[in-house]
Amino acid sequence: MSSGQLVANAPNVVAEVIDGELVVMNLASGSYYSSQGLGAAIWGWIETGHAIDAIRDSLVEHFEAPAADVERDLSAFCGRLREEGLVRVEEAPAATGAPAVDASLRYEAPTLMKYEDMQDLLLLDPIHDVDETGWPTLPPAE
């Protein structure tokens, strides 16, 4: 796939998996994203430091899927995460061992849904303009 390790693009990206659904917010763009099933699992493995090659190998083994199909689907999904600025490549040691695949998952190409309907609201959030002093910062008393 690529050299280096994929990591969440913090602090501009926050994510949570809730009942098997991944919800990711890009605080820099105001867009938010959703992925279910395998996409949510892949995000979790990325966050725990698993290398993309290890993820691919686990998927091929668990689902007995053709390696070429898994490689194509995983590469497309991770490419989309990078295009949207949700992950970046960083030189970091990968987690050891293979990621555990939930037995309830079935193999289908992971997808990432993008939503822009709340961009204005998310970008208006005053927390974006906070520095180390916090918010609200009161003017100095005279």
Side-chain angles (χ1 to χ4, degrees), residues 10-79:
N12 289 330
V13 172
V14 293
E16 182 95 22
V17 176
I18 304 165
D19 292 331
E21 179 181 6
L22 168 68
V23 178
V24 183
M25 288 192 313
N26 184 330
L27 300 174
S29 71
S31 297
Y32 66 101
Y33 305 82
S34 172
S35 186
Q36 295 185 346
L38 203 50
I42 291 168
W43 180 271
W45 296 325
I46 289 171
E47 281 195 319
T48 55
H50 285 89
I52 297 303
D53 291 343
I55 293 171
R56 179 201 59 225
D57 294 346
S58 286
L59 294 176
V60 168
E61 182 179 332
H62 180 78
F63 293 108
E64 298 179 1
D69 292 350
V70 173
E71 176 84 25
R72 179 195 64 230
D73 296 341
L74 184 59
S75 181
F77 183 72
C78 291

Side-chain angles (χ1 to χ4, degrees), residues 14 25 27 30 118-130 135:
V14 293
M25 288 192 313
L27 300 174
M118 292 181 35
Q119 275 183 318
D120 293 337
L121 182 62
L122 290 173
L123 293 174
L124 284 175
D125 184 354
I127 294 173
H128 287 90
D129 299 322
V130 174
W135 184 84

Side-chain angles (χ1 to χ4, degrees), residues 70-133:
V70 173
E71 176 84 25
R72 179 195 64 230
D73 296 341
L74 184 59
S75 181
F77 183 72
C78 291
R80 179 84 191 284
L81 293 174
R82 287 186 68 193
E83 287 170 14
E84 296 294 335
L86 303 177
V87 296
R88 66 181 183 274
V89 176
E90 191 174 272
E91 291 302 321
T96 57
V101 180
D102 183 344
S104 68
L105 289 176
R106 60 188 179 101
Y107 189 84
E108 36 182 64
T111 58
L112 185 69
M113 304 299 294
K114 180 178 182 177
Y115 303 95
E116 300 174 319
D117 56 323
M118 292 181 35
Q119 275 183 318
D120 293 337
L121 182 62
L122 290 173
L123 293 174
L124 284 175
D125 184 354
I127 294 173
H128 287 90
D129 299 322
V130 174
D131 61 16
E132 294 81 27
T133 61

